[in-house]
């Protein structure tokens, strides 16, 4: 297996997005606006969408496995719903394979996780993006209402961990809004730093390509993060080289001036290296003059 160096720009890869919200807010219709989608219907609800797409109607996990040869011909696979796949199909499948798992929840969820991750990895290998749809579940704690995807414990944790983005669809002032930012009361994940966005009406010209646009933004953000990281690492290496090459106080002043213009998280370790270097050379910093000078013996 090839090693991707920390300074390399990671290649674009398929993404996994979770969309959850109350019944009737148009989660499936919105997901269907992804690029060349196929809907893996585990809840028998595909016909409620205002814009139907090619659909695999499944009643058990084996139906999905048998259809995998077709899934790879699409750009996006929509799992509708994640609860149907994880809590219903996979629980039933793994306990049929080993009935003892019914009495061992830890091993059962471990096997579900292995099966689910294998499914996701096969889609990634085929270059297929994944959208998982879930209903929102509410939990009242004191005076607050918490919202999270309606999936059972271990399965929910697995899905949240594997997702690149987790978005919550809500209705605000009569408008449907998709929000990815996590809050004190709503589960979220926002790798791409997408602000809350109003979902266009189904008759709006922007609606047919809405989810495809979201996916492209996520992919671009993931790639740009690696590009930014590469630039930052190159800059740090250059500054460390300048520090090691300091010969006089003017060099030290120049490097310190450059470090003062960098983000704190980058500058702090480099300033420590600078401090060690000037100490080695016998320089000290004159706070009044704001420059380095030779320390008096």
């Amino acid at each position: 297996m090839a090693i991707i160096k920390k300074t390399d720009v990671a290649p674009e890869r398929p993404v996994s997005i979770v969309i959850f919200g109350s019944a009737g807010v148009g989660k499936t219709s919105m997901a269907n606006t992804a690029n060349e989608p196929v809907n893996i219907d585990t809840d028998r609800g595909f016909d409620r969408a205002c814009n139907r797409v090619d659909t695999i109607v499944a009643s058990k996990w084996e139906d999905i496995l048998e259809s995998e040869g077709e899934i790879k011909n699409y750009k996006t696979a929509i799992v509708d719903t994640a609860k149907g796949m994880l809590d219903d199909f996979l629980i039933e499948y793994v306990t049929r394979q080993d009935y003892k798992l019914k009495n061992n929840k830890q091993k059962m969820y471990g096997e579900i996780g292995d099966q689910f991750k294998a499914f996701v990895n096969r889609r990634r290998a085929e270059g297929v993006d994944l959208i998982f749809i879930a209903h929102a579940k509410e939990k009242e704690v004191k005076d607050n209402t918490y919202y999270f995807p309606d999936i059972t414990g271990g399965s929910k944790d697995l899905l949240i961990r594997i997702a690149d983005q987790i978005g919550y669809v809500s209705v605000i002032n009569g408008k449907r809004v998709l929000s990815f930012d996590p809050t004190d009361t709503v589960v979220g994940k926002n790798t791409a730093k997408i602000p809350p966005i109003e979902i266009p009406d189904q008759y709006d010209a922007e609606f047919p390509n809405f989810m495809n646009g979201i996916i492209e933004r996520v992919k671009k953000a993931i790639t740009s993060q690696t590009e930014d990281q590469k630039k930052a690492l190159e800059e740090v290496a250059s500054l460390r080289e300048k520090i090691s090459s300091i010969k006089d106080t003017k060099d030290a002043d120049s490097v310190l001036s450059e470090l003062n213009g960098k983000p704190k998280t980058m500058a702090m370790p480099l300033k420590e290296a600078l401090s060690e270097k000037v100490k080695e050379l016998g320089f000290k910093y004159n706070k009044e003059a704001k420059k380095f000078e030779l320390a008096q013996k």
Side-chain angles (χ1 to χ4, degrees), residues 130-149:
L130 283 163
I131 300 175
F132 296 94
I133 297 175
H135 296 300
K137 191 169 185 178
E138 301 178 10
K139 183 177 181 180
E140 300 290 338
V141 179
K142 294 183 179 180
D143 296 329
N144 292 321
T145 303
Y146 296 88
Y147 300 90
F148 50 90

Side-chain angles (χ1 to χ4, degrees), residues 54 108 151 154 158 169-170 178-179 244 248 263-264 267 272 274:
D54 291 359
M108 181 181 73
I151 314 168
L158 174 64
V169 181
S170 60
L178 175 61
S179 302
S244 65
D248 53 38
K264 188 176 180 179
E272 290 178 4
L274 175 62

Side-chain angles (χ1 to χ4, degrees), residues 33-194:
T33 63
N35 186 25
E36 298 182 29
V38 60
N39 189 311
I40 304 172
D41 183 22
T42 62
D43 266 7
R44 300 295 178 92
F46 76 96
D47 52 356
R48 293 192 291 269
C50 66
N51 52 343
R52 295 184 190 177
V53 298
D54 291 359
T55 302
I56 298 168
V57 180
S59 58
K60 57 184 183 298
W61 184 243
E62 287 87 341
D63 294 338
I64 295 173
L65 295 178
E66 290 172 4
S67 302
E68 286 191 310
E70 295 298 320
I71 295 172
K72 67 182 181 182
N73 297 323
Y74 295 85
K75 300 293 186 184
T76 312
I78 302 165
V79 177
D80 192 4
T81 63
K83 180 179 177 65
M85 173 178 280
L86 287 158
D87 289 357
D88 300 332
F89 287 23
L90 274 172
I91 284 179
E92 192 271 341
Y93 176 75
V94 300
T95 52
R96 264 196 294 108
Q97 303 301 307
D98 183 358
Y99 71 92
K100 293 179 181 178
L101 293 177
K102 289 184 177 181
N103 300 318
N104 191 326
K105 296 282 183 161
Q106 185 176 359
K107 284 189 176 181
M108 181 181 73
Y109 280 114
E111 182 61 25
I112 288 172
D114 290 343
Q115 292 287 341
F116 179 69
K117 285 183 284 187
F119 171 82
V120 171
N121 288 338
R122 288 194 293 272
R123 304 293 76 75
R124 285 179 171 175
E126 295 162 355
V128 178
D129 297 311
L130 283 163
I131 300 175
F132 296 94
I133 297 175
H135 296 300
K137 191 169 185 178
E138 301 178 10
K139 183 177 181 180
E140 300 290 338
V141 179
K142 294 183 179 180
D143 296 329
N144 292 321
T145 303
Y146 296 88
Y147 300 90
F148 50 90
D150 182 16
I151 314 168
T152 301
S155 297
K156 179 186 70 179
D157 295 340
L158 174 64
L159 187 62
I160 288 173
R161 186 169 68 251
I162 211 167
D164 296 298
Q165 293 275 130
I166 301 174
Y168 176 60
V169 181
S170 60
V171 178
I172 301 175
N173 297 325
K175 300 290 185 180
R176 294 180 302 148
V177 177
L178 175 61
S179 302
F180 292 102
D181 287 325
T183 70
D184 291 339
T185 57
V186 180
V187 169
K189 184 185 283 188
N190 199 357
T191 303
K193 302 295 186 290
I194 299 174

